[in-house]
Amino acid sequence: MDKKLKNADLINPNWEQRGYIQIYTGNGKGKTTASLGLAMRALGRNWKVLVVMFTKGGDNYGELTSFRNLSHSIQENLTIEQAGLDRIVYAHNMCQDDEKAIKRGWEIAKQAIKNNEYQLIILDEINIAIDLKILDIDEVVEVLKNKPQDMEIVLTGRNAHPKAIKIAHLVSKIEPIKHYWNMGIDARKGIEF
Ligand code: ATP
Ligand code: MG
């Protein structure tokens, strides 16, 4: 662990007790679920939480049903925005509607950051949207750099951009030692969605 983490790349030198920028990336399983676990933890502390689900549309996510059935007082603090179509987006199948949905999600996230509306913002799969060049990394970095100081922001998805990694306070790269995907096992209801 680098004890000299307080360096010029970070947003400000006096960042103790502040909201941080976290990234969950890598090819292993657990990025989105880690961020959703964090959302549950924060909601339990009465934090206001925004989850933007980039590249994910439709209703076929177990977490959406769970979130909709939380107690009224917790639900009041939670906003979920889906910014994608009802399918997995890759470079080869990306279309204009994917782009439109993702850009809309980013506008919502940007406003929420500027308006200081939440204590925790999860930008699920934003790394993918940046990797696909649908979102501009320099703009994302600029918005993150100017976030309200107490706000925690989480970016998930494979292929996190080096410029995002540079300004983040915490970066976890999940490496797959084994994944049943490689044995031909597809995403499973209740486990992957
Ligand atoms: P989780 O949502 O379970 O935390 P994650 O966010 O870490 O997982 P993603 O990288 O978002 O995982 O991948 C989502 C899904 O993509 C996987 O559940 C899997 O079904 C599918 N997938 C596509 N390609 C691969 C691959 N090469 N290895 C593993 N999963 C893959
Ligand atoms: Mg994910």
Side-chain angles (χ1 to χ4, degrees):
M1 178 58 70
D2 182 7
K3 291 211 168 126
K4 290 186 190 134
L5 191 55
K6 285 184 200 175
N7 63 36
D9 293 336
L10 293 171
I11 288 170
N12 71 62
N14 304 310
W15 55 278
E16 289 91 346
Q17 305 298 323
R18 301 265 166 103
Y20 303 150
I21 293 172
Q22 305 190 17
I23 298 179
Y24 299 119
T25 192
N27 292 330
K29 176 176 169 67
K31 302 173 290 292
T32 296
T33 45
S35 70
L36 296 178
L38 207 52
M40 290 300 288
R41 183 174 285 166
L43 287 166
R45 299 292 181 184
N46 290 319
W47 285 26
K48 280 186 73 84
V49 176
L50 169 67
V51 180
V52 184
M53 297 168 65
F54 288 99
T55 76
K56 292 176 181 173
D59 237 11
N60 201 15
Y61 292 96
E63 55 266 40
L64 284 179
T65 313
S66 296
F67 281 141
R68 284 192 194 115
N69 286 289
L70 293 170
S71 74
H72 181 68
S73 65
I74 288 187
Q75 268 194 55
E76 265 184 356
N77 284 335
L78 174 65
T79 306
I80 300 172
E81 293 287 349
Q82 288 186 268
L85 306 184
D86 193 1
R87 64 194 182 96
I88 297 179
V89 61
Y90 300 100
H92 64 82
N93 70 354
M94 187 172 81
C95 69
Q96 273 189 345
D97 284 345
D98 291 304
E99 232 174 280
K100 215 168 119 187
I102 287 168
K103 285 186 169 153
R104 178 187 152 272
W106 173 238
E107 287 307 312
I108 290 168
K110 238 179 2 185
Q111 278 312 310
I113 295 169
K114 279 186 187 149
N115 297 341
N116 200 5
E117 290 172 46
Y118 299 90
Q119 286 147 295
L120 173 65
I121 296 187
I122 312 264
L123 303 174
D124 183 39
E125 314 298 354
I126 192 170
N127 295 336
I128 302 291
I130 293 167
D131 195 43
L132 292 170
K133 307 254 181 320
I134 298 171
L135 300 182
D136 175 48
I137 181 62
D138 292 323
E139 187 192 344
V140 172
V141 164
E142 199 51 35
V143 170
L144 293 177
K145 274 184 166 174
N146 291 302
K147 77 171 185 63
Q149 65 181 30
D150 293 327
M151 181 184 279
E152 191 96 6
I153 302 183
V154 178
L155 286 71
T156 86
R158 293 158 194 236
N159 304 330
H161 196 287
K163 287 184 180 178
I165 289 175
K166 195 172 174 189
I167 61 153
H169 305 88
L170 178 149
V171 180
S172 289
K173 184 175 180 187
I174 301 179
E175 290 291 354
I177 291 176
K178 287 186 181 178
H179 198 310
Y180 38 72
W181 176 267
N182 297 313
M183 294 161 35
I185 311 294
D186 229 335
R188 292 174 302 156
K189 197 180 196 172
I191 300 294
E192 269 86 33
F193 62 93

